[in-house]
Amino acid sequence: MPQLKLTYFDFHGGRGEPVRLALAIGGIAFDDHRFTFAEFPEVRKIAPFGQVPLLEIDGAVITQCDAILRYAGKLAGLYPIDPLQALLCDEVMYVVEESTVRLGPTFRMTGEEQKVARLALVNGSMPVYLQWLEKQLLARGGEYFADNRLTIADLKVFVDVRGLNSGRLDHVPTDLVEKVAPALNAHMKRIAALPAVQAYYAKFAAK
């Protein structure tokens, strides 16, 4: 097994969290390198595009969150082998990423500018993405997004919905997902209740 080091912000959420979850669930050893927002300027110096997460594999630096997540999923047995199921898994991940990209610029805003920008998303593209995801989930049985089992697509959606519900995003209602895509909210709760996921978060709560 290669030596793995994952570098990402020290909080539960964002683009690095699904990778952490996948590796932890799969029992894959890795150096979970977390840093504060104040330390980010130093981290950017080693990041090829000035962004994280980064995954070092035997010292080689790999970028791009979904590529990293797919690799982690393969190591952990959480990525479909069947080409069609892999495609369905990827489709869901890319849709979540596209939604995240739309939200991204608002983190550099403050005050009224941020409020206007986020409310535009809440009343515009966010429900569109959430309802599409719910439709795919229900079409595939209502429990998982691909392969009739837990995959990295479920982890990516779980982290995204958990973040929207958290209250950490100013001007994004914590009941948005429940109102526009209740089956998606129920999916988040099911993933949160999985023993492996509970064990992952319990490890940090104990500190």
Side-chain angles (χ1 to χ4, degrees):
M1 181 65 67
Q3 295 292 310
L4 304 178
K5 178 181 179 180
L6 181 69
T7 298
Y8 195 64
F9 294 105
D10 186 15
F11 76 101
H12 292 313
R15 291 179 167 105
E17 187 76 351
V19 182
R20 290 172 178 154
L21 277 167
L23 293 173
I25 291 170
I28 308 300
F30 71 105
D31 178 3
D32 187 3
H33 179 222
R34 297 168 180 253
F35 60 89
T36 65
F37 287 98
E39 294 169 319
F40 189 33
E42 284 301 310
V43 174
R44 293 186 99 148
K45 294 177 182 178
I46 66 165
F49 301 106
Q51 59 193 27
V52 289
L54 299 175
L55 181 66
E56 294 178 53
I57 306 174
D58 291 335
V61 178
I62 307 297
T63 186
Q64 301 303 320
C65 61
D66 282 340
I68 293 170
L69 180 54
R70 192 177 298 108
Y71 175 75
K74 290 177 180 179
L75 291 181
L78 297 173
Y79 187 74
I81 296 174
D82 177 79
L84 175 58
Q85 295 303 316
L87 174 63
L88 297 178
C89 183
D90 289 347
E91 180 187 32
V92 166
M93 293 198 304
Y94 291 150
V95 166
V96 175
E97 187 60 25
E98 188 173 304
S99 178
T100 301
V101 167
R102 287 177 178 260
L103 181 64
T106 69
F107 287 98
R108 296 188 290 274
M109 301 175 185
T110 58
E112 190 66 17
E113 181 187 24
Q114 185 185 75
K115 179 179 179 180
V116 169
R118 287 192 173 169
L119 287 179
L121 294 175
V122 166
N123 296 309
S125 64
M126 277 186 181
V128 173
Y129 286 119
L130 292 169
Q131 289 168 352
W132 182 90
L133 288 167
E134 180 180 59
K135 182 180 178 181
Q136 305 314 306
L137 178 67
L138 293 174
R140 295 163 197 172
E143 191 169 1
Y144 300 114
F145 280 97
D147 222 22
N148 293 314
R149 66 185 181 94
L150 182 71
T151 69
I152 52 174
D154 298 292
L155 298 181
K156 181 111 176 174
V157 174
F158 163 73
V159 170
D160 184 60
V161 172
R162 192 170 183 264
L164 292 174
N165 290 353
S166 69
R168 294 194 304 266
L169 296 173
D170 291 341
H171 317 299
V172 176
T174 57
D175 61 351
L176 173 66
V177 182
E178 180 61 38
K179 284 185 173 179
V180 305
L184 208 59
N185 207 52
H187 169 270
M188 183 275 296
K189 292 178 180 178
R190 282 197 304 274
I191 300 303
L194 294 174
V197 174
Q198 290 190 328
Y200 170 80
Y201 288 112
K203 178 177 66 173
F204 295 97
K207 291 184 178 180

